[in-house]
Amino acid sequence: MDPGGKPSTAQMLVLASSSALTALFYSIYRKRATTVARLKEAKKVSIDQDLKALLCEAPGRCVPYAVVEGVVRSVKETLNSQFVENCRGVVERLTLKEEKMVWNRTTHIWNSTEKIIHQRTNTVPFVLASHDDDVTASVRVLRPLEASELDLETTYENFHPSAQSLSSAIGHFLSGERPKGIHETEEMLRVGDSVTGVGELVLDNNLVKLQPPKQGLCYFLTRLDYDGLLRKQSGSLRLWQVLTALVGVAACSTLLYILWRRYRHHRRSRKERLLLEAFARQQRRRLRELDVDESRLAPNICSICLSRPRSCVFLECGHVCACVQCCDALPAPKLCPICRAPIDRVVTLYNS
């Protein structure tokens, strides 16, 4: 807080950043809370022979938000793993990441970073079938890559370290970047995996389909069961709730501190103004008692003796209102005759 009572730049930055983070975290929390609430309200649908009859009776042959648990089955062809034998799936994701150490000039330490240099995802049509092999009903899964929780299993992982030499080490030290190597991974949604799908369930041309829901609802495809998915989303919700509360408390504390300092400055200014007015009234009364014309007094006359020029400054209040002789005559503890603040030290003024 500056002498004028205005908040400092650092205080305003803390208040602005904490308020912005509070708004951001709260919006994420509200979105997650809505997702958890709608997930709890989603209708659980079993993959059995009565599935099509259930959809025929539903309005528009559609369940807007349904939970389906089943086993992954391919429709025609499957995807074979490029690294693992007899590993077949319906979704395959190949990722190449470059890992390197970067020198931080602020903290003076090497930080590990990753950068995706190539990623490719392959899919083939697949369905969710019943765990009971005697049930022929199934649900075709549409647009699986749009799922927010597409849970893939890592089937292959390998790290290829970068070749190191003396010249490259010197170059890396000068550039501030030290490559570690290439991280190669393969992830798949395998045939036979148990998957929980949450989305819009529709009956179209005698084919049951699971697709991304409307109205901004989340689309899920995960290897967790329904209870596990709900626990995971609820745990994430609690995390954002705690973050929102912590940053919100910081923002409120900063605001209250600024307002408190502003209030203290206002009270101090009001007290000084009242003291100055009282001092002016007392000085005018004394001038009347001495029968002295105020207009004939020099502007730098001592406010106490009204005869000698002002020749010292009181610290820390900074008032220049008395001569050295009157300052020495002030009773202890010495107080400024204008604002009544304690006089820590006196600096003599020399006029040239």
Side-chain angles (χ1 to χ4, degrees):
M1 188 79 69
D2 62 5
K6 296 181 180 180
S8 64
T9 303
Q11 291 171 351
M12 293 304 298
L13 286 176
V14 171
L15 179 61
S17 58
S18 58
S19 300
L21 287 175
T22 301
L24 175 63
F25 291 164
Y26 181 73
S27 64
I28 296 176
Y29 164 72
R30 290 299 305 167
K31 184 177 179 180
R32 296 295 179 93
T34 302
T35 299
V36 171
R38 297 305 298 269
L39 193 58
K40 291 179 179 179
E41 297 172 357
K43 184 177 181 179
K44 287 188 176 182
V45 178
S46 301
I47 302 177
D48 52 26
Q49 305 298 350
D50 299 330
L51 179 58
K52 291 183 179 180
L54 174 66
L55 290 174
C56 287
E57 296 175 357
R61 293 189 169 189
C62 168
V63 177
Y65 209 45
V67 179
V68 180
E69 297 182 4
V71 180
V72 175
R73 296 281 186 264
S74 60
V75 175
K76 293 181 181 179
E77 57 183 8
T78 59
L79 298 172
N80 294 319
S81 171
Q82 300 184 19
F83 306 97
V84 182
E85 294 184 359
N86 300 322
C87 181
R88 297 179 299 115
V90 293
V91 179
E92 178 189 38
R93 177 177 293 158
L94 300 171
T95 305
L96 292 178
K97 292 182 181 179
E98 180 187 16
E99 296 185 4
K100 59 183 178 181
M101 303 294 291
V102 178
W103 177 254
N104 191 317
R105 302 184 186 277
T106 303
T107 60
H108 299 287
I109 59 175
W110 290 91
N111 297 325
S112 180
T113 61
E114 290 184 350
K115 178 183 177 182
I116 297 179
I117 58 178
H118 178 73
Q119 188 174 73
R120 186 183 71 214
T121 304
N122 303 317
T123 63
V124 294
F126 67 97
V127 298
L128 295 181
S130 174
H131 291 84
D132 188 356
D133 295 335
D134 296 333
V135 177
T136 59
S138 62
V139 176
R140 175 72 67 89
V141 179
L142 303 182
R143 306 202 295 274
L145 299 183
E146 297 183 17
S148 59
E149 288 283 343
L150 182 57
D151 191 6
L152 303 180
E153 177 185 358
T154 301
T155 56
Y156 175 80
E157 188 173 12
N158 192 17
F159 182 75
H160 306 280
S162 299
Q164 298 290 338
S165 64
L166 179 60
S167 59
S168 63
I170 296 175
H172 299 157
F173 178 79
L174 295 176
S175 64
E177 294 186 358
R178 188 171 62 196
K180 295 172 59 179
I182 302 298
H183 191 194
E184 183 180 16
T185 58
E186 180 190 55
E187 300 170 289
M188 296 188 72
L189 181 61
R190 302 174 60 175
V191 174
D193 284 345
S194 296
V195 169
T196 301
V198 184
E200 185 181 51
L201 199 63
V202 297
L203 179 62
D204 184 17
N205 295 328
N206 205 35
L207 181 65
V208 181
K209 300 179 180 179
L210 181 69
Q211 60 188 17
K214 301 179 179 61
Q215 302 174 355
L217 300 175
C218 285
Y219 186 32
F220 295 101
L221 282 176
T222 175
R223 289 182 292 125
L224 298 173
D225 58 7
Y226 172 73
D227 294 332
L229 175 62
L230 193 57
R231 284 194 300 270
K232 181 179 179 180
Q233 295 297 316
S234 299
S236 174
L237 175 64
R238 285 190 291 271
L239 172 64
W240 289 109
Q241 186 179 21
V242 170
L243 288 176
T244 303
L246 291 177
V247 181
V249 168
C252 292
S253 301
T254 305
L255 179 60
L256 290 176
Y257 176 75
I258 292 175
L259 293 177
W260 175 68
R261 292 292 300 269
R262 184 69 177 175
Y263 172 72
R264 285 190 59 189
H265 174 77
H266 174 72
R267 286 190 59 187
R268 185 167 58 250
S269 301
R270 183 173 179 270
K271 182 179 179 180
E272 290 179 358
R273 186 175 64 255
L274 294 176
L275 288 173
L276 287 174
E277 293 174 355
F279 180 79
R281 288 194 301 268
Q282 184 179 7
Q283 191 176 41
R284 285 193 296 268
R285 185 172 61 250
R286 189 177 178 200
L287 289 174
R288 286 194 300 268
E289 293 174 353
L290 297 175
D291 195 19
V292 177
D293 187 3
E294 184 177 359
S295 61
R296 299 177 61 183
L297 291 176
N300 64 336
I301 199 70
C302 175
S303 300
I304 299 176
C305 65
L306 300 176
S307 58
R308 289 181 292 269
R310 303 173 185 179
S311 57
C312 59
V313 56
F314 299 147
L315 300 177
E316 298 289 333
C317 66
H319 285 125
V320 181
C321 60
C323 61
V324 175
Q325 292 81 354
C326 292
C327 174
D328 294 337
L330 289 175
K334 293 186 177 183
L335 301 177
C336 175
I338 294 182
C339 65
R340 312 304 296 169
I343 300 175
D344 295 336
R345 57 195 179 99
V346 179
V347 177
T348 305
L349 298 178
Y350 298 96
N351 297 321
S352 59

